[in-house]
Amino acid sequence: MKLWDKGISIDKKIEQFTVGNDREIDLHIAKYDIQASLAHAKMLQSIGILSKDELVQLEGGLEILAQQIEEGTFTIDSQFEDVHSKIEFELTKTLGEVGKKIHTARSRNDQVLVALQLYYKENIGIIYDKTEVFFNTLLDLAETHKKALLPGYTHLQVAMPSSFGLWFSAYAELLIDDVYLLNAALKTVDQNPLGSAAGYGSSFGIDRELTTKKLQFSTLKYNVVAAQMARGKSERTIALTLGSLCNTMARFAMDICLYMSQNFSFITFPDELTTGSSIMPHKKNPDVFELIRGKCNKIQALQTEMILITNNLPSGYHRDYQLLKENMILAINDVKDILDIFNYAIQQIEVKNIDLNDAKYQYLFTVDNMNTLVEGGMSFREAYQVIGQQVQEGTYKPDTSKEHTHKGSMGNLCLDEIKTKFPKCEKHP
């Protein structure tokens, strides 16, 4: 069954190519299509296209399908193009002529668009919640290990003293920037496109404010052409947002892999969180963090894909948009899984005691020692030359007693301020 069936058979090869794996992908948005269909039916009844009895029948039919989706028994057979044709078929099979009325005043274009917007809206909220959990875990670790010193590096060369408190809370505060983008993406998709039909509206006197309220969108996407053109723009925005979050996590995972290696040996994890080698019995590999890094880097490429599929499309609907769904939905699911496993694993980190008196760390304190000379009245440039000459001549002796006290330094982490800074989610007014 096809929503556009006019009694003409389509070439099977063409059908297979154009449908692709939409049936499998659409299972992810099935429940949102039910929600939108229910709101649409209530709107049709409010403007007199459906009777109250017909609405009750449709509500009952949609509720049965919603239950099947919830239980995992809902399937989309090969005779259907997508979830939308499957749902209409089931309603028609059960309710007869009443089921055939559900598509009145809408197109498959706004039908899939509103289902995707609802899917994106809910899942961005879930990603926000998981990011907040991860954020709080990192701040807890920063508090626990705030006194534990850690060499700081620039250009991968020993640079200045740092701490695990500074390291954990650095990534926590970076997550705040990612949440700013999550909220921006949420605001972008929190606009109701239903009623735009094929992209040019309808001659029916539909009530789009009613469906906006029923579906709990913050506002309408008023212009019907703009509503359809949001397809692709929403995906590009979300891909940018997911990429930013994944960039933070990929860099953190890289730090962990580096710090676990024998040449650094700053941290370790319980054996059950690591893997071994099929040939080297001594190996303790950070596979989980390597896969987090790899998956996050893969997701960062998603924005480029979304741009290239849509960047030169003229206004109106185009079948190219179908290609956006699969990798966007897969990326959203991956990000949720990554946040869960990262939060689970990082809580089991074991911080080692690092001996900063080791010869390879002797130059960590050159800047602190230079600052001491400046505080004693020497100019910065002269102090720089004095310490630099000591380093060159091999006479430099580090003084490790200097404390860092300004806001945001390892002696004043401002963890409470960072926690307060975490933005509220747009979905939680």
Side-chain angles (χ1 to χ4, degrees):
M1 179 197 169
K2 303 174 183 64
L3 296 181
W4 51 272
D5 187 6
K6 299 185 287 291
I8 302 171
S9 296
I10 185 172
D11 186 292
K12 291 299 180 185
K13 287 186 177 181
I14 298 297
E15 180 177 19
Q16 184 177 1
F17 182 80
T18 55
V19 172
N21 59 347
D22 253 19
R23 300 179 191 96
E24 293 82 3
I25 299 166
D26 277 5
L27 290 174
H28 293 281
I29 62 170
K31 80 169 188 176
Y32 306 98
D33 192 274
I34 295 291
Q35 292 172 11
S37 294
L38 183 58
H40 184 68
K42 289 178 179 178
M43 185 276 295
L44 291 178
Q45 189 274 322
S46 75
I47 64 172
I49 291 178
L50 293 176
S51 68
K52 289 185 178 179
D53 179 64
E54 288 172 328
L55 174 60
V56 170
Q57 291 183 60
L58 285 168
E59 287 176 328
L62 289 167
E63 178 56 38
I64 290 170
L65 293 173
Q67 188 66 32
Q68 291 176 5
I69 294 167
E70 181 69 25
E71 293 171 352
T73 59
F74 180 85
T75 59
I76 305 173
D77 306 315
S78 60
Q79 70 194 89
F80 302 103
E81 272 196 309
D82 50 35
V83 67
H84 320 295
S85 53
K86 166 71 171 179
I87 288 172
E88 184 170 327
F89 173 84
E90 292 295 336
L91 291 175
T92 302
K93 184 176 74 172
T94 305
L95 306 175
E97 290 299 312
V98 175
K100 295 179 181 179
K101 294 185 177 184
I102 190 66
H103 202 62
T104 307
R106 70 177 179 180
S107 161
R108 187 168 59 167
N109 292 0
D110 66 336
Q111 191 175 355
V112 65
L113 183 53
V114 70
L116 283 168
Q117 297 290 86
L118 290 169
Y119 169 83
Y120 293 148
K121 183 181 172 185
E122 180 170 305
N123 279 277
I124 290 171
I126 292 170
I127 289 171
Y128 170 93
D129 291 339
K130 292 179 182 296
T131 302
E132 185 174 24
V133 170
F134 188 39
F135 168 84
N136 286 325
T137 294
L138 295 182
L139 286 188
D140 288 344
L141 287 168
E143 175 63 31
T144 299
H145 300 288
K146 63 185 178 183
K147 299 291 188 182
L149 293 179
L150 174 72
Y153 293 82
T154 64
H155 308 275
L156 277 180
Q157 308 295 308
V158 169
M160 292 179 65
S162 182
S163 70
F164 279 97
L166 204 56
W167 183 57
F168 286 121
S169 58
Y171 282 106
E173 191 164 9
L174 281 178
L175 289 173
I176 292 174
D177 298 334
D178 301 324
V179 172
Y180 291 148
L181 293 177
L182 278 173
N183 275 335
L186 186 57
K187 196 163 188 176
T188 299
V189 300
D190 194 14
Q191 304 175 81
N192 180 22
L194 188 57
S196 60
Y200 299 97
S202 171
S203 58
F204 290 104
I206 59 176
D207 185 350
R208 297 187 67 206
E209 295 285 357
L210 178 60
T211 56
T212 300
K213 182 178 179 181
K214 293 292 184 185
L215 293 172
Q216 297 183 315
F217 282 107
S218 294
T219 186
L220 262 168
K221 195 74 168 180
Y222 290 97
N223 185 294
V224 291
V225 176
Q228 283 300 320
M229 291 175 71
R231 188 103 182 257
K233 192 177 185 96
S234 295
E235 284 80 3
R236 291 194 301 271
T237 303
I238 297 167
L240 166 68
T241 299
L242 297 182
S244 178
L245 176 57
C246 284
N247 177 267
T248 300
M249 292 193 289
R251 295 177 71 182
F252 191 21
M254 178 60 205
D255 275 4
I256 291 169
C257 293
L258 202 64
Y259 290 176
M260 273 188 72
S261 71
Q262 289 88 343
N263 289 343
F264 286 81
S265 195
F266 298 157
I267 58 175
T268 190
F269 285 86
D271 289 346
E272 55 268 27
L273 264 66
T274 62
T275 63
S277 164
S278 64
I279 190 173
M280 295 170 285
H282 66 281
K283 292 301 289 296
K284 184 176 177 179
N285 298 325
D287 284 24
V288 64
F289 299 105
E290 292 173 339
L291 287 172
I292 287 172
R293 181 180 61 198
K295 284 175 178 283
C296 284
N297 288 339
K298 179 181 177 183
I299 291 168
Q300 288 179 76
L302 182 65
Q303 186 191 11
T304 300
E305 179 182 330
M306 299 297 105
I307 290 171
L308 291 178
I309 291 173
T310 62
N311 70 345
N312 61 352
L313 295 180
S315 60
Y317 175 80
H318 307 277
R319 193 63 178 265
D320 311 53
Y321 290 135
Q322 176 182 328
L323 303 176
L324 302 174
K325 280 192 297 186
E326 180 176 11
N327 285 342
M328 179 59 64
I329 289 171
L330 291 175
I332 286 170
N333 288 336
D334 276 347
V335 169
K336 291 188 292 186
D337 289 343
I338 291 166
L339 283 164
D340 283 341
I341 197 66
F342 213 152
N343 186 66
Y344 172 78
I346 197 65
Q347 292 179 69
Q348 301 178 64
I349 192 171
E350 298 173 10
V351 171
K352 295 183 178 181
N353 183 30
I354 303 167
D355 181 10
L356 295 188
N357 292 316
D358 189 299
K360 63 177 172 286
Y361 301 132
Q362 65 174 319
Y363 298 132
L364 276 175
F365 301 93
T366 58
V367 175
D368 286 350
N369 299 162
M370 182 179 68
N371 291 347
T372 299
L373 296 179
V374 172
E375 289 171 345
M378 192 178 293
S379 71
F380 171 84
R381 187 54 55 204
E382 185 180 358
Y384 181 93
Q385 295 294 336
V386 167
I387 298 296
Q389 187 173 0
Q390 290 176 6
V391 170
Q392 290 296 321
E393 293 174 351
T395 60
Y396 171 74
K397 300 295 182 186
D399 175 4
T400 63
S401 64
K402 198 80 171 174
E403 294 186 357
H404 294 209
T405 59
H406 68 75
K407 285 190 174 183
S409 66
M410 63 179 178
N412 186 3
L413 295 175
C414 297
L415 299 183
D416 290 339
E417 290 86 344
I418 293 173
K419 191 177 185 69
T420 302
K421 188 179 170 184
F422 194 86
K424 288 184 169 59
C425 182
E426 292 286 341
K427 76 182 178 75
H428 299 310

